[in-house]
């Protein structure tokens, strides 16, 4: 039985996420219920997790646990960042980038056990986030080609639950071949020191590393991207196959992408501005957000209280 003075925990569940089942939801509730007074809610539309999390933080709930994919996690973070409410990360999606960056098991039941232990030990830390147009992100924002790939995947939402990573590979190849203009730049970037890049085709703004995972293989682009440091931008100034495949190959080997004529790398950034006269696509933590003409990035230090194993 949980003591009457146990801390309060809101468990936000996205039952549509690829790894969330009725059985493992019960097991997660049991693990967390051994150390906290748990209330469970389920999301059923975009933005739902943010509203649940914001309400919990405003009531002084000590912990909010996000059980779903990276999109559910991002929404939850946007509801509690800047408050004293701590975040517990429970992987329920197909990739679970942020959970794996933190060293959380990719199985939600062992992950819940680790989070329960962290609650008992009061093991938390404050970490920095990125923000884009005032929306927080945990690990990255993709601009241009990357976002076009995510948009194509989200056009097959039902298949995404079952196909997972092969669907992303198919979407990447299809988008590169005929779904994205590879012959003209799409946007420009302006940095705080006055430097500019006028010809961006594809940019990743990283708050942490790896960028993503293919199965069990991490795509590590920039170890300088760290929760305690500023943002990192990697901008591809061409979409030539040799450049793209070379970068992916180095990332799979754990070799950082190097700054050069075709790929620009900026580290420890307090911010960056991305603009274009023609709309370009972007995605935040794997959630496709459509087209825009301007993105304003900031690094927000020590803004999220995180439960750590």
């Amino acid at each position: 039985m949980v003591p009457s003075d146990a801390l309060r925990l809101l468990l936000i569940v996205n039952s549509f996420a690829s790894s969330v089942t009725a059985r493992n939801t019960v097991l997660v509730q049991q693990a967390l219920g051994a150390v906290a007074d748990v209330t469970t809610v389920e999301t059923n539309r975009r933005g739902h997790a943010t509203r649940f999390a914001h309400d919990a933080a405003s009531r002084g709930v000590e912990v909010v646990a996000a059980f779903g994919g990276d999109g559910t996690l991002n929404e939850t973070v946007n509801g509690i960042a800047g408050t004293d409410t701590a975040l517990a990360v429970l992987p329920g999606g197909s990739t679970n980038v942020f959970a794996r960056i933190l060293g959380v098991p990719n199985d939600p039941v062992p992950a819940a056990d680790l989070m329960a232990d962290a609650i008992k030990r009061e093991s938390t830390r404050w970490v920095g986030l990125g923000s884009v147009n005032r929306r927080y992100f945990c690990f990255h924002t993709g601009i241009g080609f990357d976002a076009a790939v995510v948009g194509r995947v989200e056009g097959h939402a039902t298949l995404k639950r079952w196909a997972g990573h092969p669907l992303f590979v198919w979407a990447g190849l299809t988008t590169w071949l005929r779904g994205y203009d590879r012959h003209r730049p799409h946007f420009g970037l302006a940095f705080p020191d006055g430097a500019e890049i006028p010809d961006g085709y594809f940019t990743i703004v990283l708050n942490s590393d790896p960028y993503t995972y293919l199965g069990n293989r991490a795509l590590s682009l920039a170890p300088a991207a760290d929760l305690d440091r500023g943002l990192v931008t990697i901008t591809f100034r061409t979409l030539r196959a040799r450049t793209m495949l070379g970068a992916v190959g180095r990332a799979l080997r754990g070799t950082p992408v190097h700054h050069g004529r075709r790929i620009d790398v900026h580290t420890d950034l307090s911010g960056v501005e991305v603009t274009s006269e023609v709309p370009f696509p972007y995605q935040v933590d794997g959630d496709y957000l459509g087209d825009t003409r301007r993105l304003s990035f900031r690094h927000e230090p020590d803004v999220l209280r995180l439960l750590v194993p």
Side-chain angles (χ1 to χ4, degrees):
M1 179 178 295
V2 178
S4 59
D5 61 347
L7 64 75
R8 293 169 295 167
L9 184 149
L10 178 69
L11 174 61
I12 299 175
V13 180
N14 179 359
S15 58
F16 296 100
S18 59
S19 299
V20 175
T21 66
R23 180 179 181 276
N24 63 26
T25 298
V26 169
L27 294 174
V28 164
Q29 289 171 324
Q30 290 175 345
L32 298 175
V35 296
D37 180 7
V38 177
T39 300
T40 302
V41 293
E42 291 193 9
T43 65
N44 55 36
R45 59 184 180 273
R46 177 169 283 195
H48 222 176
T50 298
R51 290 192 286 275
F52 282 138
H54 177 75
D55 175 70
S58 68
R59 292 185 287 107
V61 172
E62 290 88 351
V63 178
V64 172
F67 183 22
D70 289 313
T72 303
L73 175 66
N74 178 273
E75 287 193 6
T76 302
V77 165
N78 275 276
I80 65 173
T83 75
D84 288 331
T85 297
L87 173 71
V89 180
L90 299 170
S94 58
T95 308
N96 308 306
V97 174
F98 197 60
R100 293 160 85 170
I101 287 171
L102 299 176
V104 175
N106 212 29
D107 184 321
V109 178
D113 290 335
L114 276 183
M115 291 298 106
D117 180 65
I119 290 171
K120 286 192 293 185
R121 294 185 291 108
E122 299 182 352
S123 177
T124 65
R125 62 177 286 210
W126 289 92
V127 299
L129 298 172
S131 70
V132 53
N133 292 2
R134 299 186 178 180
R135 175 171 177 156
Y136 292 109
F137 60 94
C138 297
F139 49 96
H140 77 243
T141 293
I143 308 166
F145 174 75
D146 162 277
V149 172
V150 173
R152 187 176 292 269
V153 169
E154 292 198 1
H156 301 272
T158 302
L159 186 61
K160 178 183 175 182
R161 180 180 177 95
W162 309 110
H165 296 120
L167 178 60
F168 276 93
V169 173
W170 168 83
L173 291 173
T174 303
T175 303
W176 188 83
L177 287 171
R178 61 177 185 270
Y180 191 76
D181 186 351
R182 294 183 280 120
H183 303 292
R184 63 172 181 84
H186 290 251
F187 49 82
L189 296 88
F191 297 93
D193 63 0
E196 294 185 354
I197 299 174
D199 54 352
Y201 284 78
F202 167 26
T203 291
I204 306 164
V205 183
L206 292 157
N207 185 57
S208 55
D209 187 74
Y211 157 62
T212 190
Y213 291 82
L214 287 177
N216 293 323
R217 299 288 296 275
L219 268 71
S220 179
L221 298 177
D226 184 271
L227 295 172
D228 297 318
R229 295 174 61 175
L231 303 175
V232 173
T233 59
I234 298 174
T235 300
F236 289 79
R237 306 177 75 169
T238 177
L239 289 182
R240 293 177 182 174
R242 181 176 180 180
T243 301
M244 298 289 287
L245 292 175
V248 171
R250 287 192 297 272
L252 287 171
R253 295 192 299 270
T255 304
V257 173
H258 296 298
H259 179 86
R261 184 164 59 90
R262 294 185 176 90
I263 302 177
D264 179 274
V265 180
H266 273 70
T267 62
D268 294 306
L269 293 168
S270 61
V272 62
E273 303 291 321
V274 183
T275 58
S276 174
E277 294 182 359
V278 179
F280 54 87
Y282 76 111
Q283 58 90 1
V284 176
D285 283 346
D287 191 10
Y288 180 70
L289 296 183
D291 291 350
T292 187
R293 288 185 174 90
R294 184 179 190 90
L295 295 174
S296 181
F297 288 89
R298 297 290 179 269
H299 178 245
E300 311 283 354
D302 298 330
V303 74
L304 177 67
R305 188 173 174 227
L306 190 64
L307 272 175
V308 291

